[in-house]
Amino acid sequence: MMGVTLTAQFFLSLENFATLTVFGVMAIVLALGFTLGEDRRRVAKILTPIAGAYALTLLLVGPYLYYMFAHPGRAGQFWSNSLFSADALNFLIPTEVNMLGGLRTFRGISARFQGNIFEYGAYTGPALMVLVLAYAWRHWRELFGKLLVDSLAIIWVLSLGPILHVCGNSLGSLPGKLFSALPLLDKALPTRLTMYAILIVAMITSLWLAAGPAHRRTKYAAAFLIVMFSLPNLSAAILDHQSRHPCVLFEWHLPTLPRAGRERFLYF
């Protein structure tokens, strides 16, 4: 089943397939490094079925991989990794896709973020950030807690891209510059890595709500605040958003297509 799922992900989004593979390897390496004895052997046991799943995926997508490497497209990045990187303030400041992001104060800040509104995915919210910090403070020295917290920190740093942006201002280089230099992965947009961070945040939240030492009323209040800070903007006005960075992908696609192909490409 895992092999079929990986194959489906390959066909749905090659970018997601590549990044989930990288972060899956990262999680396994961290788990092997943090564990000893029986725990490490339990982690090692999952390597065999994972390798089998990837072998099945390789078999199923082999013809496509051959075509991809035998007839490579344009080398280098499709989009600027620096442009489509998460802004450090976006972890706490919502954009117009959230209900709170429609407030004038937040609109003035989020309007300075790099990229476009459809790629602002770093927003976590103050309630979840406080919850994550509380979990990290209590569980970081535990094996599973350390794995979650360290993985989350690594993903958050890489989602910031090759250059640190704060409110749209470039402040300096980050480790993401090395990640962006890797073959194939140089085409992955750093801001999209936050989807893996949200998954880890969801795991931390569920663990805290289910087994945290806080009083039940505190958990109810925290759940309420999480929902309030995460409410979406249901206004249709955001669908009419005018991107500050219109698509330039056509600049290198169109010259390679026949005239009829260009018309169908533009229509699509």
Side-chain angles (χ1 to χ4, degrees):
M1 182 59 70
M2 184 186 298
V4 174
T5 303
L6 288 171
T7 303
Q9 182 61 74
F10 180 93
F11 290 130
L12 288 172
S13 172
L14 187 56
E15 176 184 359
N16 289 347
F17 177 85
T19 54
L20 76 85
T21 299
V22 169
F23 289 123
V25 172
M26 178 197 74
I28 292 174
V29 170
L30 290 177
L32 290 173
F34 295 157
T35 55
L36 295 171
E38 182 60 27
D39 290 331
R40 177 174 290 183
R41 284 190 290 271
R42 291 173 59 189
V43 174
K45 285 182 180 179
I46 69 173
L47 296 180
T48 299
I50 291 177
Y54 271 92
L56 175 60
T57 301
L58 183 62
L59 179 64
L60 294 175
V61 305
Y64 296 90
L65 289 176
Y66 168 78
Y67 185 85
M68 184 173 65
F69 288 106
H71 306 280
R74 176 187 178 184
Q77 300 175 1
F78 291 160
W79 300 95
S80 169
N81 285 345
S82 177
L83 179 63
F84 289 98
S85 299
D87 192 288
L89 289 184
N90 191 199
F91 292 105
L92 291 174
I93 303 298
T95 65
E96 291 182 72
V97 299
N98 294 96
M99 186 179 69
L100 292 178
L103 299 177
R104 179 177 300 179
T105 300
F106 292 141
R107 286 205 313 267
I109 298 175
S110 63
R112 302 183 63 181
F113 293 165
Q114 297 287 321
N116 59 57
I117 193 173
F118 307 108
E119 298 290 352
Y120 299 153
Y123 178 65
T124 306
L128 282 173
M129 292 294 286
V130 171
L131 191 152
V132 167
L133 292 175
Y135 179 87
W137 178 265
R138 186 176 181 85
H139 299 283
W140 184 75
R141 290 178 177 82
E142 301 172 6
L143 294 180
F144 188 62
K146 188 177 181 64
L147 175 62
L148 289 178
V149 173
D150 285 11
S151 297
L152 180 60
I154 292 172
I155 293 172
W156 267 344
V157 170
L158 292 178
S159 71
L160 294 172
I163 299 176
L164 175 63
H165 294 98
V166 179
C167 201
N169 299 309
S170 302
L171 300 184
S173 299
L174 289 172
K177 180 173 291 188
L178 299 177
F179 188 82
S180 300
L182 296 175
L184 300 180
L185 293 176
D186 60 346
K187 297 176 176 60
L189 300 185
T191 186
R192 295 180 181 176
L193 302 180
T194 53
M195 62 181 173
Y196 302 108
I198 292 298
L199 176 61
I200 297 177
V201 170
M203 295 174 64
I204 290 175
T205 302
S206 63
L207 290 171
W208 184 83
L209 291 175
H215 192 274
R216 180 176 297 181
R217 292 181 180 178
T218 302
K219 294 181 180 180
Y220 284 150
F224 175 78
L225 290 175
I226 291 171
V227 172
M228 293 303 297
F229 280 114
S230 305
L231 287 175
N233 184 357
L234 299 179
S235 172
I238 62 172
L239 299 179
D240 192 36
H241 181 83
Q242 189 71 25
S243 174
R244 292 179 288 125
H245 305 284
C247 181
V248 295
L249 201 59
F250 299 138
E251 290 184 2
W252 60 271
H253 267 303
L254 292 182
T256 64
L257 295 175
R259 183 176 184 83
R262 298 184 191 185
E263 294 172 356
R264 288 194 294 272
F265 189 83
L266 286 173
Y267 175 79
F268 176 79

